[in-house]
Amino acid sequence: MTDGRPLKVALLGCGVVGSQVARLVTTHAADLAARVGAPVELAGVAVRRPGRLREGVLSELITTDAQGLVSRSDIDVVVEVIGGIEPARSLISTAFENGASVVTANKALLAEDGPSLYAAADKYGADLYFEAAVAGAIPLLRPLRESLAGDSVNRVLGIVNGTTNFILDRMDTSGAGYYEALEEATALGYAEADPTADVEGFDAAAKAAILAGIAFHTRVRLDDVHREGITEVTASDIASARRMGCTVKLLAICERAADGRSVTARVHPAMIPLTHPLASVREAYNAVFVEADSAGSLMFYGQGAGGVPTASAILGDLVAACRNKVSGARGPGESAYTMLPVSPMGDVVTRFHISLDVADKPGVLSQVAAVFADHGVSIDTVRQQGKDGEASLVVVTHRAPDAALTATVETLRGLDTVRGVASIMRVEGE
Ligand SMILES: NC(=O)C1=CN([C@@H]2O[C@H](COP(=O)(O)OP(=O)(O)OC[C@H]3O[C@@H](n4cnc5c(N)ncnc54)[C@H](O)[C@@H]3O)[C@@H](O)[C@H]2O)C=CC1
Ligand SMILES: N[C@@H](CC=O)C(=O)O
Ligand code: NA
């Protein structure tokens, strides 16, 4: 309980997201005070480059001593928007030790060390909130943790990385090149400090780990998530998807097995039909479907990246943490009682689109078809296009285990008549 005294907030990091948090805390001060029941004040802003002009932030609040700031005994809530593992982890730890609650957008840290952070929050009677860490502005974690706490979630599927969605969208709709689109996404503040995290799927995989943990009341770490990024998606894959009435999206898919005894979490590009709602998710927008026993299918949609939308999610968490300080209550802690094992990717069953370069001569098609049959992978459609003694063969399969498809491709690569495997992509959303 705080007896109406002002609540003091320490902001760590004043970049794309942090600068917007600072602006909103200041410009919305009156509304925040009314909603919390006490004034909410910025008590310090830790930065790396103090000389930079930071509009709207009083210069006396700026410090380069982040450790000193989180060690202050008068701080009620620490907002961490530095990113990365260290020093963010140590700073959050110190914040908890000093009784402060923590609001963070740091999915990388949560996917690596979430359980330790929850444990530290518990030990010191503080709150840990991180709505901004998954799907930016979209209220998704709070609905999963609170609104659906009485239901049983079986599947979470969606687009959770704005940068890669922006790139794929630009490549598909305006024919932009990969690098040009990445540069634009970076300039708009969507990409991570190192955009490899986005394009190689690490960011989406961290979000998938967080989502799977919360949805299935278990623990899933970044290393448990099968991860493929978009760096190998070519203009020809996108054109091929178009010919099938599909588009290519980077999806995060978390599922609980039908027998309820294990879970899977994966991130990879996939072809989805143009008629699927995810196909119309443009630019840096995100959309996530949640399927639950009683609620049925729910869809969450909105801005998944960018300074202002992300700051909205942080401010929501800040209000929750401050309200708890005022009333002496606590927000939800970790719920990981199921401790379900994570199954390997080989067990996951999906459809595949495989593009092969083959010799254009009689018998090749039946030879290729026999390899699929030998591995128990059933073919749905085949399209062949000849070009100067060579041909391109596009095979779309029925649903098959990932391990069976991997073995099929391995055998195909060994055939003399198969010159190369141009691309393999999963097909989802049908
Ligand atoms: N940009 C976005 O759209 C979103 C970002 N996030 C997450 O929010 C966090 C921040 O992201 P951005 O603001 O985009 O990154 P950013 O790189 O623009 O900002 C981070 C700031 O922290 C500062 N910093 C680094 N080390 C520091 C230290 N030791 N002490 C004080 N300041 C330090 C940097 O100088 C930089 O200004 C990351 O965890 C990111 O994953 C989450 C959702 C969306
Ligand atoms: N780099 C991330 C930012 C938000 O989480 C993204 O592009 O989605
Ligand atoms: Na969110």
Side-chain angles (χ1 to χ4, degrees):
M1 309 275 274
T2 54
D3 299 323
R5 70 166 170 79
L7 289 150
K8 294 198 185 298
V9 178
L11 178 63
L12 310 181
C14 198
V16 171
V17 178
S19 58
Q20 295 308 319
V21 172
R23 182 180 65 80
L24 292 175
V25 169
T26 312
T27 55
H28 292 193
D31 285 328
L32 291 177
R35 293 172 196 178
V36 164
V40 177
E41 293 174 355
L42 264 187
V45 181
V47 303
R48 208 163 36 179
R49 288 180 288 269
R52 264 201 187 167
L53 179 68
R54 291 186 168 84
E55 215 178 303
V57 181
L58 296 174
S59 57
E60 59 262 36
L61 294 182
I62 302 279
T63 175
T64 51
D65 182 9
Q67 187 62 37
L69 180 59
V70 294
S71 303
R72 274 171 52 176
S73 59
D74 62 332
I75 299 295
D76 295 288
V77 183
V78 169
V79 175
E80 184 276 309
V81 276
I82 286 174
I85 307 300
E86 284 296 350
R89 174 164 46 199
S90 309
L91 294 169
I92 289 176
S93 245
T94 309
F96 284 139
E97 282 162 25
N98 284 288
S101 287
V102 171
V103 174
T104 177
N106 195 333
K107 48 268 161 123
L109 178 57
L110 288 157
E112 169 149 324
D113 220 4
S116 313
L117 300 186
Y118 276 123
D122 240 17
K123 182 171 172 191
Y124 295 101
D127 281 334
L128 171 65
Y129 283 111
F130 46 90
E131 182 59 72
V134 182
I138 307 173
L140 176 60
L141 302 184
R142 186 167 281 113
L144 279 170
R145 283 170 91 170
E146 299 183 26
S147 320
L148 292 166
D151 208 331
S152 196
V153 175
N154 299 313
R155 192 166 193 239
V156 181
L157 171 150
I159 296 165
V160 295
N161 183 271
T163 302
T164 47
N165 200 61
F166 185 91
I167 295 171
L168 292 172
D169 181 42
R170 281 280 194 274
M171 284 170 77
D172 192 6
T173 56
S174 69
Y178 171 87
Y179 290 103
E180 182 193 336
L182 173 57
E183 216 169 277
E184 205 183 334
T186 305
L188 289 165
Y190 303 147
E192 295 301 301
D194 174 1
T196 314
D198 296 293
V199 297
E200 295 290 2
F202 289 100
D203 179 78
K207 290 165 176 167
I210 296 168
L211 284 171
I214 292 177
F216 308 133
H217 300 269
T218 189
R219 284 182 180 166
V220 176
R221 287 169 48 92
L222 178 63
D223 291 348
D224 297 322
V225 182
H226 173 86
R227 177 191 53 78
E228 293 167 39
I230 63 160
T231 48
E232 283 171 24
V233 176
T234 60
S236 132
D237 290 329
I238 291 174
S240 190
R242 279 273 153 188
R243 278 194 294 275
M244 279 177 63
C246 290
T247 186
V248 176
K249 296 288 186 190
L250 184 74
L251 299 185
I253 305 175
C254 311
E255 291 169 307
R256 186 171 23 185
D259 65 7
R261 293 204 185 144
S262 61
V263 299
T264 53
R266 54 192 161 111
V267 165
H268 54 71
M271 291 185 182
I272 53 167
L274 290 168
T275 50
H276 193 281
L278 288 179
S280 50
V281 176
R282 305 281 313 272
E283 304 207 321
Y285 279 76
N286 286 185
V288 179
F289 283 92
V290 175
E291 292 167 17
D293 273 353
S294 308
S297 189
L298 304 163
M299 183 177 175
F300 298 83
Y301 171 81
Q303 296 191 68
V308 182
T310 305
S312 161
I314 292 192
L315 266 279
D317 282 352
L318 180 60
V319 167
C322 287
R323 281 177 174 159
N324 289 343
K325 287 275 176 189
V326 167
S327 66
R330 292 254 338 260
E334 185 185 26
S335 173
Y337 68 94
T338 65
M339 288 293 179
L340 293 169
V342 183
S343 296
M345 186 61 188
D347 293 356
V348 170
V349 176
T350 53
R351 297 181 68 205
F352 294 88
H353 174 282
I354 303 124
S355 180
L356 303 168
D357 293 325
V358 297
D360 191 8
K361 57 184 191 191
V364 173
L365 187 52
S366 59
Q367 201 186 11
V368 167
V371 173
F372 278 87
D374 288 349
H375 289 91
V377 179
S378 161
I379 292 176
D380 180 18
T381 60
V382 182
R383 200 183 63 241
Q384 181 168 2
Q385 201 174 6
K387 42 170 189 186
D388 310 328
E390 301 284 294
S392 120
L393 207 57
V394 175
V395 179
V396 180
T397 72
H398 288 294
R399 284 163 58 79
D402 216 88
L405 198 280
T406 304
T408 305
V409 171
E410 194 66 29
T411 311
L412 288 171
R413 285 191 204 277
L415 295 183
D416 284 349
T417 47
V418 173
R419 311 281 192 238
V421 180
S423 85
I424 307 168
M425 203 175 286
R426 296 175 186 85
V427 182
E428 295 284 346
E430 290 175 314

